Amino acid sequence: MKRTLILFLFLIVSSSSIFAQKYNDIKFKIANYDNDTLLLAYFYGDKQLIKDTIYAKKKGEFEYKADSLMDEGVYIALFYPKKDYIQFLVNNNESKFTLNLDYNDISKVKPKGSDDNKLFFEYLDYISEKNNLAMSLNQKKDSLTKNNLDIGDIDTKLEDLDNEVNAYQIKLIDENPKSLTSLLIKANRDIKVPEFTGTQDEINKQKYLYYKKHYFDNIDFNNDATLFTPFIYNKVDNYIKNLTPPIPDSINQSIDYILGLMKPQSDIWQYFVSSFLNKYARSMYVGMDAVYVHIVEKYYASGMTPWVDEDKLIQIIDSALKMKNVLIGNKAPNLVLYKDDGTPVDLYSINSDYIVLEFWKPDCGHCKAAMPDIIKFQEDFRDKGVKVISVCTKMGDKISECWDKVKELNMENLFLNLGDEKNQSNFHSVYNVQTTPTIFVLDKNKEILIKNIPADKLGEIMLELMKEQEEKNNSSE
């Protein structure tokens, strides 16, 4: 009986140790810090978010105990009232540690219980020392250059310094491959581009292609901690902004490439899918709605974002479908609209080299400001194969306001003025008209050349479109 009881107790102890919940316990011991408050924050993509406020247990001593393991990555301890701070690492293989420092010199932090933080702060000290040396050498170089003196010796010292830092980083990464310190250092190392031969243009192109291809070589997208660092958002953003041609098809390819480097539905994948969606939903650049549509179709409408609320998902997909109808390069949807006397007009029946389709309403402040520019535009381009169709968005018994305004502005013989009293064409949805004025430029085949452009730039843009079309016609002859 006693033996059975001992065995039973052993099983209970064993089970409790197996299922014991791990958590973080981080202590801060700060000499010469009189404030009783410390703010704990962390990096998350492009943001710095507050984790918690920590109050002193006694002067200069703070402790943060998490209910469970925290997300690994780079964290911030913010001091009051000056709001200066230190950055440190949370590595859950070392969930309990202490950071010792003096508030009079917060650059010197001495960790206890965390080899990763020890490595991190030693590296910061080393880099700070080498940066100071580099600054001193560069100052001497500037002085010698201004006085037309030889700078060869300085350049040699700078090159030696660079090689020394490079060797230090490689050694640290090789010896500590699983540390967060290595993850951070490796991710911020420059890509070494080999030498190429050929003309200067050929060399530049090869260097660009190589750099672009290997740009993410040092980024560990399979480590969730990468999302919780100060570099990852800027790294990805730079790839889109500076290494990708600013056209929708190229941006779509880059987005697919970046997301393809990540594990689908991982935290970092979810973050960037959402980040890209929000960025291109808000983009003010003409034509970037095509990127939004691509993201929705490939990732949201395909069932790859199960964390999104169903109602929200329906809203996202619906907005993309409306945008898709009128993407630049697509054929404009046909509309049947009506003149003042009720005569129907089929958009596709209108023959003109270019059609400017403008949706407006008479009591819209932006429309009032834009209409003089559009009137002048039509006067300037009437004999150049350009026809303006003004579509008043008022409906029902308010449509009479449209015709009154047309007469007031002497638009009767200048534009083809149309409306849709009973909303039979559903133009708001078909053309995704959310604000007025909304302007589309179509070619003779009713293809959308450009849209959502300001009225005061219409003439300038039309000349560019005509020039492009002329060059295209000449090249095809």
Side-chain angles (χ1 to χ4, degrees):
M1 186 71 176
K2 188 179 291 185
R3 187 174 181 182
T4 304
L5 179 61
I6 291 171
L7 178 61
F8 180 68
L9 289 172
F10 173 76
L11 288 173
I12 292 175
V13 172
S14 298
S15 297
S16 64
S17 64
I18 291 171
F19 295 107
Q21 186 181 26
K22 291 191 72 176
Y23 62 92
N24 296 89
D25 186 352
I26 305 171
K27 296 177 181 177
F28 302 86
K29 293 186 178 180
I30 313 168
N32 298 309
Y33 183 58
D34 297 327
N35 202 289
D36 65 351
T37 304
L38 192 66
L39 191 68
L40 183 64
Y42 62 99
F43 289 93
Y44 180 71
D46 61 331
K47 299 177 179 63
Q48 295 176 32
L49 303 178
I50 296 172
K51 181 74 174 176
D52 211 340
T53 301
I54 313 172
Y55 298 101
K57 297 173 69 176
K58 60 181 182 179
K59 184 180 176 181
E61 292 191 13
F62 301 80
E63 183 174 14
Y64 178 75
K65 282 188 177 182
D67 295 331
S68 57
L69 288 176
M70 297 157 63
D71 291 306
E72 293 185 313
V74 181
Y75 282 72
I76 303 165
L78 181 70
F79 308 109
Y80 289 98
K82 295 181 181 179
K83 294 187 178 179
D84 38 10
Y85 63 92
I86 62 167
Q87 294 180 14
F88 63 96
L89 307 180
V90 169
N91 180 335
N92 285 330
N93 292 322
E94 307 165 341
S95 59
K96 300 177 182 180
F97 60 88
T98 302
L99 298 178
N100 298 282
L101 64 148
D102 189 327
Y103 189 58
N104 291 331
D105 184 8
I106 61 173
S107 66
K108 303 297 182 184
V109 180
K110 296 179 179 179
K112 183 179 179 181
S114 172
D115 290 338
D116 212 342
N117 273 299
K118 183 173 183 293
L119 195 66
F120 176 66
F121 286 107
E122 284 175 354
Y123 177 73
L124 292 182
D125 288 344
Y126 173 83
I127 287 298
S128 176
E129 177 190 338
K130 299 307 175 186
N131 279 339
N132 289 335
L133 180 55
M135 286 176 61
S136 176
L137 289 170
N138 278 310
Q139 287 174 353
K140 290 179 181 178
K141 182 178 177 178
D142 289 341
S143 177
L144 292 171
T145 301
K146 287 178 182 178
N147 292 290
N148 296 317
L149 298 174
D150 181 48
I151 58 173
D153 183 53
I154 300 294
D155 281 339
T156 299
K157 289 181 180 179
L158 285 168
E159 185 177 350
D160 290 343
L161 181 61
D162 188 56
N163 290 334
E164 180 189 338
V165 171
N166 184 58
Y168 181 92
Q169 291 177 334
I170 292 172
K171 184 173 184 291
L172 188 152
I173 293 168
D174 288 344
E175 292 178 352
N176 306 274
K178 294 183 179 180
S179 69
L180 294 186
T181 303
S182 292
L183 181 143
L184 292 168
I185 295 171
K186 187 177 180 181
N188 287 282
R189 281 174 56 80
D190 289 333
I191 299 298
K192 188 174 181 180
V193 180
E195 294 297 325
F196 293 99
T197 58
T199 66
Q200 191 58 53
D201 286 343
E202 289 171 341
I203 291 172
N204 291 340
K205 183 178 180 180
Q206 290 177 90
K207 284 185 174 181
Y208 160 75
L209 292 174
Y210 183 92
Y211 184 73
K212 185 177 181 183
K213 181 179 180 180
H214 294 276
Y215 181 80
F216 291 113
D217 282 3
N218 292 331
I219 305 295
D220 187 355
F221 285 113
N222 292 316
N223 190 329
D224 288 338
T226 298
L227 177 59
F228 299 89
T229 63
F231 67 81
I232 188 58
Y233 178 85
N234 291 333
K235 195 83 175 177
V236 170
D237 191 52
N238 181 64
Y239 186 89
I240 298 291
K241 280 184 178 178
N242 299 317
L243 295 179
T244 302
I247 54 177
D249 284 349
S250 296
I251 293 172
N252 290 341
Q253 289 175 10
S254 288
I255 286 173
D256 291 345
Y257 169 66
I258 292 166
L259 294 176
L261 297 172
M262 307 171 188
K263 183 180 178 182
Q265 272 111 45
S266 63
D267 288 346
I268 193 167
W269 188 91
Q270 289 185 33
Y271 170 83
F272 276 105
V273 167
S274 300
S275 177
F276 287 137
L277 182 83
N278 292 329
K279 176 179 180 177
Y280 291 100
R282 298 190 302 264
S283 178
M284 301 302 291
Y285 291 101
V286 173
M288 288 302 125
D289 51 351
V291 179
Y292 179 87
V293 170
H294 172 79
I295 294 168
V296 173
E297 288 187 333
K298 183 156 187 174
Y299 301 102
Y300 285 78
S302 64
M304 295 181 70
T305 56
W307 69 88
V308 179
D309 176 77
E310 186 176 353
D311 290 339
K312 182 65 176 177
L313 183 62
I314 291 171
Q315 182 183 344
I316 289 170
I317 294 172
D318 182 61
S319 68
L321 286 173
K322 289 177 180 177
M323 290 181 187
K324 189 174 182 179
N325 282 336
V326 286
L327 293 179
I328 292 173
N330 287 358
K331 193 166 185 178
N334 195 15
L335 290 176
V336 176
L337 301 164
Y338 302 87
K339 295 182 180 180
D340 184 8
D341 61 7
T343 303
V345 177
D346 187 317
L347 174 63
Y348 278 17
S349 70
I350 300 169
N351 294 317
S352 180
D353 289 342
Y354 298 94
I355 292 174
V356 173
L357 188 60
E358 176 219 6
F359 295 89
W360 69 289
K361 57 184 178 181
D363 55 353
C364 155
H366 292 294
C367 298
K368 290 176 182 177
M371 201 56 77
D373 291 315
I374 299 174
I375 290 172
K376 184 177 186 309
F377 166 80
Q378 180 66 107
E379 290 171 344
D380 292 342
F381 284 83
R382 180 164 36 185
D383 299 328
K384 297 178 181 178
V386 180
K387 190 172 190 66
V388 174
I389 301 174
S390 73
V391 181
C392 184
T393 60
K394 290 283 187 180
M395 292 180 288
D397 56 7
K398 292 186 178 181
I399 198 168
S400 60
E401 298 175 23
C402 299
W403 313 127
D404 292 341
K405 198 67 175 179
V406 164
K407 291 174 183 176
E408 179 187 330
L409 296 174
N410 298 315
M411 293 162 50
E412 299 104 315
N413 299 318
L414 191 60
F415 303 155
L416 176 55
N417 300 289
L418 304 173
D420 190 357
E421 180 180 358
K422 299 178 181 178
N423 193 28
Q424 293 170 283
S425 64
N426 194 25
F427 63 82
H428 278 101
S429 179
V430 172
Y431 272 80
N432 197 32
V433 178
Q434 298 184 18
T435 59
T436 52
T438 294
I439 298 172
F440 294 83
V441 179
L442 318 179
D443 68 7
K444 63 182 179 181
N445 298 315
K446 309 302 184 290
E447 179 183 316
I448 301 172
L449 299 178
I450 200 165
K451 63 180 182 177
N452 298 336
I453 52 177
D456 60 344
K457 299 293 183 182
L458 195 49
E460 179 184 333
I461 291 170
M462 181 56 72
L463 289 174
E464 284 295 320
L465 291 172
M466 289 177 162
K467 182 180 177 182
E468 287 176 12
Q469 188 61 48
E470 184 179 354
E471 291 172 353
K472 186 178 178 181
N473 292 339
N474 291 336
S475 64
S476 63
E477 292 178 356

